[in-house]
Amino acid sequence: MRLSYPDSIRIIQVPCTGRVDVIHLMEAFQRGADGVYVVGCLEGECHYLTGNLRAKKRVQYTKQLLDEIGVGGDRLEMYNIAASDGPRFSEVAREMDEKIRALGPSPIKTMLQKLHADDLSIHV
Amino acid sequence: MIVAERKPLDEIIGFIKDCKKILIVGCNECVTVCYAGGKKEVAILASALKMAFLKEGKELEVKEVTLERQCDQEYLEEIRDIIDQYDAVVSMACGVGVQFMAEKYQSMPVYPALNTLFMGGAEEMGVWSERCQGCGQCILGQTAGICPITRCAKRLLNGPCGGSTQGHCEINKDLPCAWQLILDRLKALGRLDDYDRLISIKDWSTERSGGPRKIVREDLQQ
């Protein structure tokens, strides 16, 4: 298919979205991610039965936390895409990229860059 | 277990807004089991606080520690060597742990990260409910193992009030009437005679209204 998706997106593989915990999502933002989205299998089709449903609830919980600290829960999303659905994966990647660009840089990233302008070890 | 939940982040941030280095201390007992103040929740709170500070252009240094128990002197000792390096301690234990921490480390500001709610159990994953109010004189033996002190809104001792409707309490239609539960269970156990036996006037002095309680066991004292 040779489909492309924005190069701003970095993929972190997990065996199942059920492995994704609140702290993983928080750490991504803490390290300066502008947005994060979790892509799980279609609901009802989890190989481990409920992994993607658990992930969905954890994403919801983390959204609230991000709202509470003023980073913004809308920078975090969950999508369900079939493993074989390349076109949809590419479409969602573009959709998320556009959404985050519209929201602008994360305030955490902005501050990290400001506070560590001289520190080359911090890549955000 | 003692059931608690995290305070709103704004409240916690308010406690430590002038700090640069804090120690967040979790507890491996009850609050771990009710997902409020265990190792995982310590990590999430640390991350949230660091980001909340960063957003304001400040960097917060956070050390995460989770002790076996905070309601026990020997485990609180484990942080003695490091505690002085921090501006404050944020305890993710129940109110008991927070107070033991504050008593042990007199010169250190200690702040609670949780609201301690009740003694209860997990009905299912993510649902906890109250089962005991620590009245100091357990009557579960007469009430089919269902506590009317905790589960009846009026703490009635001898049967339901007039507000019991179709097995539910008048204060909330989702709340089962404790005395209906007791009656049903006594019936199922073939022990309805217990219902006829009056429970005498309760001595509430062993409950919280008698002031803070204490047990001294000389056989265990050193």
Side-chain angles (χ1 to χ4, degrees):
Chain A
M1 280 188 276
R2 294 193 177 277
L3 297 164
S4 64
Y5 61 90
D7 60 6
S8 58
I9 289 166
R10 180 177 163 196
I11 293 179
I12 298 169
Q13 290 180 316
V14 285
C16 168
T17 49
R19 177 67 187 90
V20 180
D21 211 332
V22 177
I23 189 65
H24 301 134
L25 303 170
M26 293 292 280
E27 275 201 20
F29 285 101
Q30 201 186 316
R31 292 185 192 194
D34 293 317
V36 176
Y37 67 110
V38 178
V39 183
C41 298
L42 295 174
E43 287 186 10
E45 293 188 10
C46 175
H47 181 73
Y48 304 101
L49 306 177
T50 57
N52 50 2
L53 300 177
R54 283 168 181 258
K56 184 182 178 181
K57 288 178 183 171
R58 289 173 192 157
V59 165
Q60 280 306 320
Y61 179 83
T62 314
K63 272 171 160 288
Q64 289 170 13
L65 267 179
L66 292 169
D67 276 335
E68 264 194 273
I69 55 175
V71 172
D74 44 3
R75 292 181 180 276
L76 173 65
E77 291 301 340
M78 167 119 193
Y79 290 94
N80 297 91
I81 308 171
S84 57
D85 196 350
R88 178 68 184 144
F89 180 87
S90 167
E91 184 187 325
V92 161
R94 281 194 297 275
E95 187 181 304
M96 194 67 190
D97 183 71
E98 279 169 25
K99 182 185 171 183
I100 299 302
R101 280 183 197 285
L103 287 172
S106 140
I108 303 303
K109 175 181 165 179
T110 311
M111 278 301 171
L112 278 174
Q113 283 173 333
K114 206 169 159 184
L115 291 166
H116 299 279
D118 306 329
D119 187 352
L120 296 175
S121 66
I122 296 199
H123 301 282
V124 287
Chain B
M1 80 185 95
I2 291 177
V3 182
E5 64 181 4
R6 181 176 51 76
K7 281 180 174 291
L9 282 171
D10 274 352
E11 191 178 340
I12 303 172
I13 292 166
F15 294 142
I16 56 155
K17 59 182 187 302
D18 299 322
C19 298
K20 288 191 170 63
K21 288 172 82 176
I22 62 160
L23 183 63
I24 302 183
V25 189
C27 181
N28 255 339
E29 296 283 348
C30 316
V31 291
T32 291
V33 185
C34 68
Y35 296 85
K39 195 174 178 182
K40 223 173 188 178
E41 291 74 33
V42 167
I44 293 167
L45 179 64
S47 178
L49 292 178
K50 281 181 197 169
M51 279 198 270
F53 269 64
L54 257 180
K55 202 176 154 280
E56 303 302 320
K58 296 185 285 186
E59 278 190 293
L60 180 69
E61 196 182 318
V62 181
K63 167 86 175 164
E64 301 168 29
V65 179
T66 300
L67 301 177
E68 197 54 40
R69 278 196 289 282
Q70 287 189 39
C71 55
D72 224 328
Q73 305 283 349
E74 67 175 289
Y75 297 112
L76 285 170
E77 274 300 324
E78 291 173 9
I79 54 169
R80 184 170 293 284
D81 292 342
I82 60 164
I83 196 166
D84 287 338
Q85 299 163 30
Y86 300 92
D87 301 327
V89 170
V90 173
S91 168
M92 295 198 87
C94 68
V96 180
V98 176
Q99 290 184 69
F100 264 54
M101 177 78 75
E103 283 169 32
K104 193 158 202 69
Y105 299 108
Q106 293 280 336
S107 58
M108 178 61 58
V110 179
Y111 300 112
L114 307 183
N115 286 325
T116 306
L117 298 172
F118 52 80
M119 284 189 272
E123 288 185 9
E124 58 180 279
M125 195 66 180
V127 179
W128 295 271
S129 59
E130 188 169 15
R131 286 292 185 275
C132 180
Q133 294 202 342
C135 71
Q137 281 183 45
C138 191
I139 54 167
L140 287 170
Q142 291 150 269
T143 58
I146 294 159
C147 177
I149 306 296
T150 312
R151 301 184 69 182
C152 167
K154 291 178 179 168
R155 302 170 135 199
L156 294 181
L157 291 173
N158 289 290
C161 70
S164 175
T165 311
Q166 292 180 326
H168 292 277
C169 178
E170 65 182 340
I171 68 158
N172 179 350
K173 62 177 170 32
D174 295 326
L175 188 70
C177 167
W179 273 103
Q180 184 69 56
L181 295 176
I182 294 167
L183 264 168
D184 290 347
R185 188 140 199 271
L186 284 174
K187 201 184 284 177
L189 292 169
R191 279 176 40 198
L192 269 178
D193 288 352
D194 280 1
Y195 185 55
D196 290 335
R197 228 174 289 143
L198 275 180
I199 299 176
S200 59
I201 295 168
K202 194 171 172 68
D203 174 8
W204 290 103
S205 68
T206 57
E207 200 238 18
R208 177 64 189 85
S209 42
R213 292 159 286 177
K214 189 172 186 169
I215 293 177
V216 178
R217 284 267 307 266
E218 285 179 8
D219 57 324
L220 298 172
Q221 275 185 310
Q222 287 178 342

Coordinates of all heavy atoms in Angstrom, one line a residue, chain B residues 59-98:
Chain B
E59 N 10.8 24.0 38.5 CA 11.2 22.5 38.5 C 11.1 22.0 39.9 O 11.6 22.6 40.8 CB 12.5 22.3 37.9 CG 12.5 22.3 36.4 CD 13.8 21.9 35.7 OE1 14.8 22.6 35.9 OE2 13.8 20.8 35.1
L60 N 10.4 20.9 40.0 CA 10.2 20.3 41.3 C 10.9 18.9 41.4 O 10.8 18.1 40.5 CB 8.7 20.0 41.6 CG 8.3 19.3 42.9 CD1 8.5 20.3 44.1 CD2 6.8 18.9 42.9
E61 N 11.8 18.8 42.4 CA 12.5 17.5 42.5 C 11.7 16.6 43.4 O 11.3 17.0 44.5 CB 13.9 17.8 43.1 CG 14.9 16.7 42.9 CD 16.2 16.9 43.5 OE1 16.7 18.1 43.4 OE2 16.7 16.0 44.2
V62 N 11.5 15.4 42.9 CA 10.6 14.5 43.7 C 11.3 13.2 43.9 O 11.8 12.6 43.0 CB 9.3 14.3 43.0 CG1 8.4 13.3 43.8 CG2 8.5 15.6 42.7
K63 N 11.4 12.8 45.2 CA 11.9 11.4 45.5 C 10.7 10.6 45.8 O 9.8 11.0 46.6 CB 12.9 11.5 46.6 CG 13.2 10.2 47.3 CD 14.4 9.6 46.5 CE 14.8 8.3 47.3 NZ 15.6 7.4 46.4
E64 N 10.6 9.4 45.2 CA 9.5 8.5 45.5 C 9.9 7.4 46.4 O 10.9 6.7 46.0 CB 9.0 7.9 44.1 CG 8.5 9.0 43.1 CD 8.3 8.4 41.7 OE1 8.0 7.2 41.6 OE2 8.5 9.2 40.8
V65 N 9.2 7.1 47.4 CA 9.5 6.0 48.3 C 8.1 5.4 48.7 O 7.2 6.1 48.9 CB 10.2 6.5 49.6 CG1 10.4 5.3 50.6 CG2 11.5 7.2 49.3
T66 N 8.1 4.1 48.8 CA 6.9 3.4 49.3 C 7.3 2.5 50.4 O 8.0 1.6 50.2 CB 6.1 2.7 48.2 OG1 5.8 3.6 47.2 CG2 4.8 2.0 48.7
L67 N 6.7 2.8 51.6 CA 7.1 2.0 52.8 C 6.1 0.9 53.0 O 5.0 0.9 52.5 CB 7.1 2.9 54.0 CG 8.0 4.1 54.0 CD1 7.8 4.9 55.3 CD2 9.4 3.7 53.9
E68 N 6.6 -0.1 53.7 CA 5.7 -1.3 54.0 C 4.4 -0.8 54.7 O 3.3 -1.3 54.3 CB 6.5 -2.3 54.8 CG 5.9 -3.7 54.8 CD 5.7 -4.3 53.5 OE1 6.5 -4.1 52.6 OE2 4.6 -4.9 53.2
R69 N 4.6 0.0 55.7 CA 3.5 0.6 56.4 C 3.9 1.9 56.9 O 5.0 2.1 57.3 CB 3.1 -0.3 57.6 CG 2.2 -1.4 57.3 CD 1.5 -2.0 58.6 NE 2.5 -2.6 59.5 CZ 2.9 -3.9 59.3 NH1 2.5 -4.5 58.3 NH2 3.8 -4.4 60.1
Q70 N 3.0 2.9 57.0 CA 3.3 4.2 57.6 C 2.7 4.3 59.0 O 3.0 5.2 59.7 CB 2.8 5.3 56.8 CG 3.7 5.5 55.5 CD 3.4 6.8 54.8 OE1 3.1 7.8 55.3 NE2 3.4 6.7 53.4
C71 N 1.9 3.2 59.4 CA 1.4 3.3 60.7 C 2.2 2.4 61.7 O 1.7 1.9 62.7 CB -0.1 2.7 60.7 SG -0.2 1.1 60.0
D72 N 3.5 2.3 61.3 CA 4.4 1.4 62.1 C 5.7 2.1 62.2 O 6.3 2.5 61.2 CB 4.5 0.1 61.4 CG 4.5 -1.1 62.4 OD1 4.9 -0.9 63.6 OD2 4.0 -2.1 62.0
Q73 N 6.2 2.4 63.5 CA 7.4 3.1 63.7 C 8.6 2.6 62.9 O 9.4 3.3 62.4 CB 7.8 3.1 65.2 CG 6.7 3.6 66.1 CD 6.5 5.1 66.1 OE1 7.4 5.8 65.6 NE2 5.5 5.6 66.7
E74 N 8.7 1.2 62.9 CA 10.0 0.7 62.4 C 10.1 0.9 60.9 O 11.2 1.1 60.3 CB 10.1 -0.8 62.6 CG 9.0 -1.7 61.9 CD 9.3 -3.2 62.2 OE1 10.2 -3.7 61.6 OE2 8.5 -3.8 62.9
Y75 N 9.0 1.0 60.2 CA 9.1 1.3 58.7 C 9.3 2.7 58.4 O 10.0 3.1 57.5 CB 7.8 0.8 58.0 CG 7.7 -0.7 58.1 CD1 6.6 -1.3 58.9 CD2 8.6 -1.6 57.5 CE1 6.5 -2.7 59.0 CE2 8.5 -3.0 57.6 CZ 7.4 -3.5 58.4 OH 7.3 -4.9 58.5
L76 N 8.8 3.6 59.3 CA 9.0 5.0 59.2 C 10.5 5.4 59.4 O 11.0 6.3 58.8 CB 8.1 5.8 60.2 CG 6.6 5.9 59.8 CD1 5.9 6.5 61.0 CD2 6.4 6.8 58.6
E77 N 11.1 4.5 60.2 CA 12.6 4.8 60.4 C 13.4 4.7 59.1 O 14.4 5.3 59.0 CB 13.1 3.7 61.4 CG 13.0 4.1 62.8 CD 13.7 5.4 63.2 OE1 14.8 5.6 62.7 OE2 13.1 6.1 64.1
E78 N 12.9 3.9 58.1 CA 13.6 3.7 56.9 C 14.0 5.0 56.1 O 14.8 5.0 55.3 CB 12.9 2.7 56.0 CG 12.8 1.3 56.5 CD 11.9 0.4 55.7 OE1 11.5 0.8 54.6 OE2 11.7 -0.7 56.2
I79 N 13.2 6.1 56.4 CA 13.5 7.3 55.6 C 14.3 8.3 56.5 O 14.5 9.4 56.0 CB 12.2 7.9 55.1 CG1 11.2 8.2 56.2 CG2 11.6 7.1 53.9 CD1 10.0 9.0 55.7
R80 N 14.7 7.9 57.7 CA 15.3 8.9 58.6 C 16.6 9.5 57.9 O 16.8 10.7 58.0 CB 15.7 8.2 59.9 CG 16.3 9.2 60.9 CD 16.5 8.7 62.2 NE 15.3 8.4 63.0 CZ 14.5 9.4 63.5 NH1 14.8 10.6 63.4 NH2 13.4 9.0 64.1
D81 N 17.3 8.7 57.2 CA 18.6 9.2 56.6 C 18.4 10.1 55.4 O 19.3 10.9 55.1 CB 19.5 8.0 56.2 CG 20.0 7.2 57.4 OD1 19.9 7.8 58.5 OD2 20.4 6.1 57.2
I82 N 17.3 10.1 54.8 CA 17.1 11.0 53.6 C 16.1 12.1 53.8 O 16.1 13.1 53.0 CB 16.6 10.1 52.4 CG1 15.3 9.4 52.7 CG2 17.7 9.1 52.0 CD1 14.6 8.9 51.4
I83 N 15.3 12.0 54.8 CA 14.2 13.0 55.0 C 14.6 14.4 55.0 O 14.0 15.3 54.5 CB 13.3 12.6 56.1 CG1 11.9 13.3 56.0 CG2 13.9 12.8 57.5 CD1 10.8 12.7 56.9
D84 N 15.8 14.7 55.7 CA 16.2 16.0 55.9 C 16.6 16.7 54.5 O 16.8 18.0 54.5 CB 17.4 16.1 56.8 CG 17.0 15.8 58.2 OD1 15.8 16.0 58.5 OD2 17.8 15.4 59.1
Q85 N 16.8 16.0 53.5 CA 17.2 16.6 52.2 C 16.0 17.2 51.5 O 16.1 17.8 50.5 CB 17.7 15.5 51.3 CG 19.0 14.8 51.8 CD 19.2 13.5 51.0 OE1 18.9 13.3 49.9 NE2 19.8 12.5 51.7
Y86 N 14.8 17.1 52.1 CA 13.6 17.6 51.4 C 12.9 18.7 52.1 O 13.1 18.8 53.3 CB 12.6 16.4 51.1 CG 13.3 15.4 50.3 CD1 14.0 14.3 50.9 CD2 13.4 15.5 48.9 CE1 14.7 13.4 50.1 CE2 14.1 14.6 48.1 CZ 14.7 13.5 48.7 OH 15.4 12.6 48.0
D87 N 12.2 19.5 51.4 CA 11.4 20.6 52.0 C 10.2 20.2 52.7 O 9.7 20.8 53.6 CB 11.1 21.7 50.9 CG 12.3 22.2 50.2 OD1 13.4 22.3 50.8 OD2 12.2 22.5 49.0
A88 N 9.6 19.1 52.2 CA 8.3 18.6 52.7 C 8.1 17.2 52.4 O 8.7 16.7 51.4 CB 7.2 19.4 52.2
V89 N 7.2 16.5 53.1 CA 6.8 15.1 52.8 C 5.4 15.2 52.4 O 4.5 15.8 53.1 CB 7.0 14.2 54.0 CG1 6.3 12.9 53.8 CG2 8.5 14.0 54.4
V90 N 5.1 14.5 51.3 CA 3.7 14.3 50.9 C 3.4 12.9 51.1 O 4.0 12.0 50.5 CB 3.4 14.7 49.4 CG1 2.0 14.3 49.0 CG2 3.6 16.2 49.2
S91 N 2.5 12.6 52.1 CA 2.3 11.2 52.5 C 1.0 10.7 51.7 O 0.0 11.4 51.7 CB 2.1 11.1 54.0 OG 1.5 9.8 54.3
M92 N 1.2 9.6 51.1 CA 0.0 9.0 50.4 C -0.6 7.8 51.2 O -1.2 6.9 50.7 CB 0.4 8.5 49.0 CG 0.8 9.6 48.1 SD 0.7 9.1 46.3 CE -1.0 9.4 45.9
A93 N -0.4 7.9 52.6 CA -1.0 6.9 53.5 C -2.3 7.4 53.9 O -2.7 8.6 53.6 CB -0.1 6.7 54.7
C94 N -3.0 6.6 54.7 CA -4.3 7.1 55.3 C -3.9 8.1 56.4 O -2.8 8.4 56.6 CB -5.0 5.9 55.9 SG -4.2 5.3 57.4
G95 N -4.9 8.7 57.0 CA -4.7 9.7 58.0 C -3.8 9.2 59.2 O -3.1 10.0 59.8
V96 N -3.9 7.9 59.4 CA -3.0 7.4 60.5 C -1.6 7.5 60.1 O -0.7 8.0 60.9 CB -3.4 5.9 60.7 CG1 -2.5 5.3 61.9 CG2 -4.8 5.7 61.1
G97 N -1.3 7.1 58.9 CA 0.1 7.1 58.4 C 0.7 8.6 58.4 O 1.8 8.8 58.8
V98 N -0.2 9.5 57.9 CA 0.3 10.9 57.9 C 0.6 11.4 59.3 O 1.6 12.0 59.5 CB -0.9 11.8 57.3 CG1 -0.5 13.2 57.3 CG2 -1.2 11.3 55.9

